[in-house]
Amino acid sequence: MDLVPADLARIRELYSQGYYRRAYDVAQTIGSIRHWTSTPARLIGGRLAIQLGAPVLGRRLHLLAFRFSPAYPEAIYYHARYRMERYGPLSTWEFMRQHPDWSDSPPDMHGDWLALMGFIAARLRDFDRAERWLNRADAIAPDRPWPCIERSSVYELADRLEDALTVARRSLELQPWFRPGVQSVAHLLLRLNREQEALDFLTEADSKLESGLIAAQLAAVQNDLKHHHDARRTLDRYADLSPMMEPETQKWLAARWADTAYFLGEYSAAAEHARVVKDEFYDDFAQRLQQHTDQPPPTARTVLPVNHGQSATATVYDLLAEHWKQPLPNPSADSAAPLDGLPDAAERNRVEQAGWVAREFTLNLDTAAQLIAREVPFVVTLVEAGFAQSRLCIGADTIRSTVFLGDAFDPRPLEAPLAGLLERFAPFGPRCLALVPVAESSRLDGIAWPDGPAREALYQIQQPLLTHDRASALAAQQRMEEQFPNDRLTHFGQLALARYDAHPVKLLEISDRLLSDAPHEATWLMAKAATLRELNRVPERLALLEAESESLTAEPLVLQSLAQALLPNPNRQPEATRLLRRSVRHRPTAAAGYYLLATQWWEQRRFEDSTELYRFACTLDDREDQFAEAYFRAARATEQVPEALRLFQQKAGRAAIPAPAATRALFHSLMDREEPTQAFAALDQAIGKLLTAEQQIAPASPQPNAASLNTPEVLALGELLLFRAECHVAAGRFEGAEADLDTARSRVAPTLWHK
């Protein structure tokens, strides 16, 4: 079925004004949206279907539009957006490079395309290029509101929330009540802890527009602010505004109805809605609701008022310090959690030395609810392959069997089903750490700590190793083996000692024990693969990685490790490519995948493409010198040195905290161009900026406190001072080197100084 131009124009006009329900009513008089056949009709029909509760149909219509009209500009644009959602930034970047010529397209569409390029660059943390793409979009379509939304997203990715809000408001100046602008403004207001302003704004927008997405956003804010009766009315409005709801959308709405009825204390209604969802969490939720229909527990759900939404550099320790009104030191770069999943003993040791009381335990709903009832938020460590992240548990709900996990810069804590956390992180607990000042230690009395004695025994092994007291650690290990034989945490203690001894045979033996309980745990698989490589047992390592990579849910780091092992083999290059693409798709912000793929492309003589991927690795991780060095070498070979220097200057000279790796890369790049004066000037400028920032945070003192040694500014300053000392020595400037060493010695954390 094709649409006549007048009908198509009418639907487009209603859509642009945010009157999606009216547009649907007009469309229904013509015929079902899913049967529209012309490319323009499919494109607007797809957009309308997404707004009306049918995102799967909407994307299918956009795919059909591109398939039947692959040269149609708007179809190309929406296909790029589809690729971004489905396959990630690398696939989208490749697709967009295949369509460079937009000179014959309408200015508005050209502007949207350039703005999308800017957003893709920002997803890869290349904010310099993102800004340039966005400026080009503004030049071509200066009065177009959509590029403002893309720019706002870019600024949010760069942690420039106030700038992002300003740009989002600009879209509303260009087009009043522009629906994406409304959503962006409300989202940013929430990020900035301006909940009431967001609520008032969304309420007014909901009365102006016919958007189910706005209604859904408003209902979420209303429930967060405990306006549950209003939220139920808003969800009813969402249902009215979404006449094309697909099954998954209907389940989502049933879940929100169940949540809202539960918040209102209407347990029977909540259970009825929960059963409609038909997933494990809501089935269990419905059963627990039935048990409490007659007499609801008075304190089933408790969330502590912790001040989230702080700076991007704040941590959960900052939140705890503010909650208890007592200083709590942050970890320094040299006390990062081990990559093999062991608890971070340095974390507990650090806080106990600062005058806090600590208790370790394994996550459990009853214990979490007791702590929250006593107003004791606690740290939960979530171990992923290659890293561990800390979240602050600030709430618990005993009927929903959930905990509330937050961090410093997101104002809305995540309500996480406990069953999912325990299943995903069972090999490691997850491990929890309750911290209170000594004066508040009575709040921890009388609580049963799951795995508490075993975790205490493990800590007695790990703590002596921090000061290289191996004899005490060995004695503690023997006691733990007697007290907790064959316990998983006992294996952790053996792992800690074997790692300290750098004993690969024991490490391999312990990895096998741990993997016998959790055969596909990627953290231990990677640890075992590293040990096999150290022992030069290459065939076993390859077989281990190949077996694990066969799974469709294989960890991206496992895929990268196997691909790296295959890269030297000319006969297995296609397999290595597939592995690397899978890893980049599933972990699109991991720099190593782009670096390895760039290395392969360089060998295949795809020099321009390879240079771009080296740049992606460099922008995604500005801590690794090898990424910056590889990008500069590639840029020099492809005659793109000015572009590389611009990036390094942006990260070294213009950044609030100059990145040490980028600063070193800039120095080496200028030295390579035989510009030593400019090289030292760039290095001096970065150090000068860090000295100024460090003086503002912690004024110079003969004995700086622990907090002043752990800031990003001080750590970056230490790295660059030591680097400049090396450069002075290489240039024969020994007095300058001595001065830098003295400054570093007085300001840098001892462990980093020894390094």
Side-chain angles (χ1 to χ4, degrees):
M1 176 192 301
D2 203 355
L3 272 68
V4 299
D7 291 336
L8 188 61
R10 176 60 177 158
I11 293 172
R12 281 184 176 274
E13 177 65 20
L14 291 170
Y15 184 97
S16 68
Q17 294 174 355
Y19 299 145
Y20 306 121
R21 181 58 201 245
R22 278 179 244 183
Y24 170 76
D25 292 338
V26 172
Q28 286 297 95
T29 64
I30 301 169
S32 174
I33 291 175
R34 64 182 69 248
H35 296 143
W36 293 356
T37 55
S38 72
T39 295
R42 280 172 170 161
L43 290 169
I44 189 60
R47 296 167 66 189
L48 188 57
I50 292 171
Q51 299 298 322
L52 297 171
V56 174
L57 172 62
R59 291 178 179 87
R60 185 179 298 126
L61 288 171
H62 286 165
L63 284 172
L64 287 170
F66 177 72
R67 182 179 301 171
F68 284 94
S69 303
Y72 195 83
E74 190 177 354
I76 296 171
Y77 172 80
Y78 280 104
H79 188 70
R81 298 207 68 89
Y82 165 78
R83 294 184 76 89
M84 182 66 206
E85 293 177 12
R86 183 72 184 272
Y87 301 110
L90 177 59
S91 176
T92 311
W93 170 79
E94 291 181 288
F95 175 77
M96 296 183 82
R97 280 168 66 94
Q98 296 169 7
H99 299 84
D101 186 9
W102 285 69
S103 56
D104 294 334
S105 64
D108 286 352
M109 183 53 59
H110 191 185
D112 288 356
W113 180 261
L114 295 172
L116 178 58
M117 291 287 288
F119 176 73
I120 299 300
R123 280 292 305 273
L124 296 164
R125 310 293 297 175
D126 193 345
F127 298 112
D128 178 51
R129 278 191 179 169
E131 192 76 33
R132 284 184 275 167
W133 284 114
L134 290 167
N135 289 341
R136 287 183 58 190
D138 288 344
I140 290 175
D143 298 325
R144 178 80 167 161
W146 178 251
C148 294
I149 305 304
E150 299 281 34
R151 186 183 289 272
S152 178
S153 299
V154 168
Y155 288 168
E156 184 181 3
L157 289 169
D159 299 316
R160 298 168 55 185
L161 297 184
E162 290 289 354
D163 292 337
L165 180 59
T166 299
V167 176
R169 290 192 189 279
R170 169 63 179 159
S171 72
L172 300 179
E173 295 173 5
L174 294 172
Q175 181 176 324
W177 301 112
F178 180 54
R179 191 267 312 163
V182 169
Q183 289 192 267
S184 293
V185 168
H187 165 73
L188 291 163
L189 288 172
L190 292 173
R191 288 283 317 265
L192 291 165
N193 276 339
R194 293 155 65 175
E195 293 93 345
Q196 187 60 48
E197 190 176 345
L199 176 64
D200 295 341
F201 177 68
L202 282 171
T203 301
E204 185 178 4
D206 188 48
S207 68
K208 302 282 186 181
L209 302 171
E210 298 174 352
S211 170
L213 297 180
I214 296 292
Q217 194 174 9
L218 173 59
V221 177
Q222 289 168 331
N223 271 329
D224 285 345
L225 296 180
K226 296 183 169 52
H227 299 178
H228 304 310
H229 287 287
D230 293 339
R232 179 155 59 189
R233 285 191 292 269
T234 303
L235 288 172
D236 291 341
R237 175 168 166 77
Y238 173 87
D240 181 62
L241 294 173
S242 307
M244 296 182 67
M245 277 193 290
E246 295 168 331
E248 288 303 313
T249 309
Q250 293 170 0
K251 290 182 179 181
W252 174 88
L253 181 58
R256 301 294 78 75
W257 269 329
D259 297 344
T260 305
Y262 169 65
F263 299 148
L264 288 167
E266 300 173 358
Y267 284 18
S268 295
E272 183 179 347
H273 288 303
R275 282 190 286 268
V276 174
V277 181
K278 297 189 184 303
D279 74 5
E280 185 175 353
F281 171 77
Y282 278 94
D283 288 344
D284 293 342
F285 181 35
Q287 291 181 2
R288 286 190 293 271
L289 285 170
Q290 288 298 119
Q291 297 170 6
H292 296 282
T293 300
D294 297 331
Q295 189 174 2
T299 57
R301 183 184 185 90
T302 306
V303 182
L304 299 178
V306 176
N307 180 23
H308 296 267
Q310 299 186 9
S311 69
T313 58
T315 69
V316 295
Y317 308 99
D318 296 315
L319 294 180
L320 282 171
E322 182 175 347
H323 176 76
W324 293 110
K325 308 302 179 187
Q326 180 167 320
L328 178 63
N330 271 304
S332 61
D334 55 284
S335 64
L339 297 182
D340 51 15
L342 283 178
D344 183 9
E347 174 191 32
R348 176 175 169 183
N349 185 67
R350 180 180 65 252
V351 298
E352 287 181 335
Q353 290 181 349
W356 290 61
V357 177
R359 294 288 186 273
E360 290 187 68
F361 62 99
T362 296
L363 184 60
N364 170 277
L365 183 60
D366 292 338
T367 305
Q370 289 183 63
L371 287 170
I372 297 303
R374 299 183 186 192
E375 298 185 354
V376 179
F378 58 91
V379 178
V380 181
T381 302
L382 305 178
V383 178
E384 301 280 2
F387 67 96
Q389 53 184 325
S390 296
R391 293 289 182 267
L392 192 66
C393 182
I394 64 168
D397 189 318
T398 55
I399 291 183
R400 286 169 66 83
S401 188
T402 58
V403 291
F404 291 79
L405 303 180
D407 53 34
F409 51 89
D410 192 339
R412 297 177 64 185
L414 171 69
E415 184 181 9
L418 190 67
L421 287 175
L422 295 179
E423 180 181 358
R424 170 63 187 87
F425 300 104
F428 311 100
R431 175 248 193 181
C432 302
L433 182 66
L435 301 172
V436 298
V438 173
E440 302 286 348
S441 60
S442 61
R443 294 178 186 252
L444 304 181
D445 293 343
I447 293 180
W449 305 102
D451 289 333
R455 289 193 177 276
E456 184 63 32
L458 173 59
Y459 181 64
Q460 296 305 315
I461 297 173
Q462 290 185 279
Q463 186 189 33
L465 297 178
L466 298 174
T467 56
H468 307 289
D469 184 358
R470 187 184 184 282
S472 297
L474 181 59
Q477 180 194 342
Q478 292 170 348
R479 291 194 300 270
M480 188 176 187
E481 290 176 350
E482 294 173 0
Q483 189 176 2
F484 304 100
N486 300 319
D487 190 282
R488 182 186 73 253
L489 294 174
T490 302
H491 299 329
F492 278 20
Q494 297 165 346
L495 176 62
L497 200 60
R499 187 184 64 191
Y500 179 82
D501 293 338
H503 198 308
V505 175
K506 287 185 178 178
L507 286 171
L508 185 61
E509 178 184 344
I510 296 165
S511 295
D512 285 334
R513 288 181 201 156
L514 293 169
L515 285 169
S516 65
D517 294 330
H520 301 290
E521 176 50 52
T523 298
W524 295 331
L525 282 165
M526 295 298 296
K528 180 177 180 179
T531 304
L532 289 171
R533 180 174 57 188
E534 185 178 352
L535 293 170
N536 201 30
R537 292 162 65 170
V538 177
E540 290 179 59
R541 176 175 181 267
L542 194 61
L544 174 71
L545 295 174
E546 286 178 331
E548 187 61 26
S549 298
E550 292 177 358
S551 170
L552 294 177
T553 59
E555 164 61 38
L557 288 183
V558 174
L559 303 178
Q560 290 176 14
S561 296
L562 177 57
Q564 189 172 17
L566 298 180
L567 284 176
N569 187 339
N571 297 324
R572 303 191 69 174
Q573 294 304 299
E575 185 178 353
T577 299
R578 287 194 298 272
L579 291 167
L580 290 173
R581 283 191 168 278
R582 280 178 60 194
S583 74
V584 168
R585 176 182 173 185
H586 293 295
R587 195 177 278 191
T589 58
Y594 297 93
Y595 175 80
L596 293 172
L597 195 56
T599 302
Q600 184 189 48
W601 286 4
W602 191 271
E603 293 296 325
Q604 296 171 356
R605 306 186 66 80
R606 297 176 57 181
F607 300 126
E608 296 287 341
D609 293 342
S610 176
T611 301
E612 289 294 290
L613 262 63
Y614 279 130
R615 182 182 175 98
F616 297 163
C618 182
T619 56
L620 286 168
D621 189 347
D622 55 15
R623 299 165 299 175
E624 289 289 341
D625 289 279
Q626 66 171 336
F627 297 156
E629 292 170 2
Y631 173 50
F632 179 74
R633 289 196 302 269
R636 182 174 55 189
T638 55
E639 299 182 352
Q640 298 181 45
V641 169
E643 188 75 358
L645 287 177
R646 179 187 174 104
L647 175 66
F648 296 148
Q649 287 167 346
Q650 187 261 341
K651 286 184 170 289
R654 303 185 202 123
I657 303 176
T663 305
R664 289 188 289 264
L666 177 61
F667 179 87
H668 290 310
S669 302
L670 292 170
M671 291 294 287
D672 186 76
R673 288 161 59 94
E674 298 183 356
E675 299 177 9
T677 302
Q678 291 87 338
F680 274 97
L683 184 55
D684 295 343
Q685 179 187 7
I687 290 175
K689 179 179 286 190
L690 288 169
L691 280 168
T692 301
E694 186 263 350
Q695 292 273 344
Q696 293 172 349
I697 295 173
S701 61
Q703 294 181 338
N705 59 36
S708 71
L709 297 175
N710 294 331
T711 65
E713 292 84 356
V714 171
L715 297 172
L717 173 62
E719 284 193 49
L720 292 183
L721 283 170
L722 297 179
F723 175 70
R724 189 170 68 177
E726 295 175 2
C727 296
H728 280 316
V729 170
R733 304 172 182 173
F734 300 109
E735 292 183 0
E738 188 67 30
D740 282 340
L741 291 174
D742 288 341
T743 304
R745 187 182 292 109
S746 67
R747 303 308 302 171
V748 178
T751 307
L752 181 59
W753 165 250
H754 287 305
K755 289 182 182 179

